[in-house]
């Protein structure tokens, strides 16, 4: 039984970013102990606090047997398989997979912070997240939809048609 619910943010702005996000979803769906339960449409967004081209972003809901640490390790392995490098903070990327929420866990360790610390400040997270989970709550913060107005000035464009 897949007892844990996780939300992940997906993004890319190097190479064929749209295809890389789609391929990452497909790869995640083939991993034992993970079921991709819902995926938002793709969005084009401007980089925040980073150089480079626009990003392609999406959010997925996963049902999983893995605990949060094991899921994060799995996400990092998937990123690496797409050639993800980390030459400096906020560098452009072939694939970025962020563990946004894991059940209702709250923690701040050197390995993992839950919920993701800036998710409530980012349109590229909130818009796709609330599209697939309109009533989701960010533990310790409140309903994700309640933060949409505060990010309304960030450029985000829904790409059509939805690929999932």
């Amino acid at each position: 039984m897949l007892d844990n619910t996780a939300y992940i943010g997906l993004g890319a702005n190097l190479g064929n970013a749209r295809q890389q996000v789609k391929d990452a979803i497909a790869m995640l769906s083939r991993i034992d102990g993970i079921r991709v339960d819902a995926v938002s449409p793709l969005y084009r967004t401007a980089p925040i606090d980073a150089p480079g081209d626009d990003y392609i972003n999406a959010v997925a809901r996963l049902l999983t047997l893995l605990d949060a640490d094991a899921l994060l390790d799995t996400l990092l392995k998937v990123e690496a398989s797409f050639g993800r490098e980390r030459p400096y903070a906020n560098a452009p990327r072939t694939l970025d997979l962020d563990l946004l929420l894991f059940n209702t866990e709250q923690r701040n360790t050197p390995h993992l912070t839950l919920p993701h610390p800036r998710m409530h400040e980012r349109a590229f997270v909130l818009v796709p997240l609330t599209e697939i989970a309109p009533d989701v709550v960010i533990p310790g913060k409140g309903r994700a939809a309640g933060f949409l107005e505060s990010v309304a000035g960030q450029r985000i464009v829904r790409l059509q048609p939805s690929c999932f």
Side-chain angles (χ1 to χ4, degrees), residues 1 6 10 15 23 27 30 37 50 54 61 65 73 91 142 149 163:
M1 183 173 210
L10 301 99
D23 290 347
M27 182 179 283
R30 292 189 301 269
D37 185 56
D54 283 355
R61 180 173 53 230
L65 294 171
D73 291 342
E149 187 175 322
C163 63

Side-chain angles (χ1 to χ4, degrees), residues 15-35:
N16 186 343
R18 187 183 298 220
Q19 191 61 50
Q20 287 159 187
V21 169
K22 291 179 185 181
D23 290 347
I25 293 292
M27 182 179 283
L28 288 167
S29 72
R30 292 189 301 269
I31 295 173
D32 287 339
I34 295 176
R35 187 175 98 214

Side-chain angles (χ1 to χ4, degrees), residues 25 37 41 60 63 89 95 113 116 132 140 146:
I25 293 292
D37 185 56
L63 303 179
L95 182 66
T113 300
H116 191 282
I132 63 171

Side-chain angles (χ1 to χ4, degrees), residues 13-15 23 30 35 37 49 62 72 78-79 83 97 99-101 105 108 110 147 157:
N13 74 334
L14 292 176
D23 290 347
R30 292 189 301 269
R35 187 175 98 214
D37 185 56
D49 300 329
L62 307 180
L72 178 61
V78 171
E79 284 181 349
L97 301 175
L99 181 52
L100 304 171
L101 299 169
E105 283 192 33
N108 188 355
F147 294 96
V157 177

Side-chain angles (χ1 to χ4, degrees), residues 6-137:
Y7 290 89
I8 62 165
L10 301 99
N13 74 334
L14 292 176
N16 186 343
R18 187 183 298 220
Q19 191 61 50
Q20 287 159 187
V21 169
K22 291 179 185 181
D23 290 347
I25 293 292
M27 182 179 283
L28 288 167
S29 72
R30 292 189 301 269
I31 295 173
D32 287 339
I34 295 176
R35 187 175 98 214
V36 177
D37 185 56
V39 181
S40 74
L42 297 177
Y43 287 85
R44 179 178 302 282
T45 64
I48 296 178
D49 300 329
D53 296 333
D54 283 355
Y55 278 82
I56 300 299
N57 292 102
V59 169
R61 180 173 53 230
L62 307 180
L63 303 179
T64 183
L65 294 171
L66 304 176
D67 64 24
D69 292 300
L71 180 57
L72 178 61
D73 291 342
T74 298
L75 297 177
L76 293 172
K77 288 176 187 171
V78 171
E79 284 181 349
S81 75
F82 280 78
R84 171 75 191 264
E85 297 178 356
R86 298 173 190 272
Y88 55 89
N90 299 321
R93 47 203 72 149
T94 54
L95 182 66
D96 186 29
L97 301 175
D98 288 328
L99 181 52
L100 304 171
L101 299 169
F102 191 88
N103 298 323
T104 58
E105 283 192 33
Q106 294 183 63
R107 70 163 107 164
N108 188 355
T109 68
H111 183 62
L112 178 60
T113 300
L114 288 168
H116 191 282
R118 292 171 305 284
M119 67 179 286
H120 64 287
E121 301 171 350
R122 306 293 197 233
F124 66 82
V125 171
L126 292 172
V127 173
L129 173 64
T130 57
E131 185 157 350
I132 63 171
D135 297 321
V136 72
V137 172

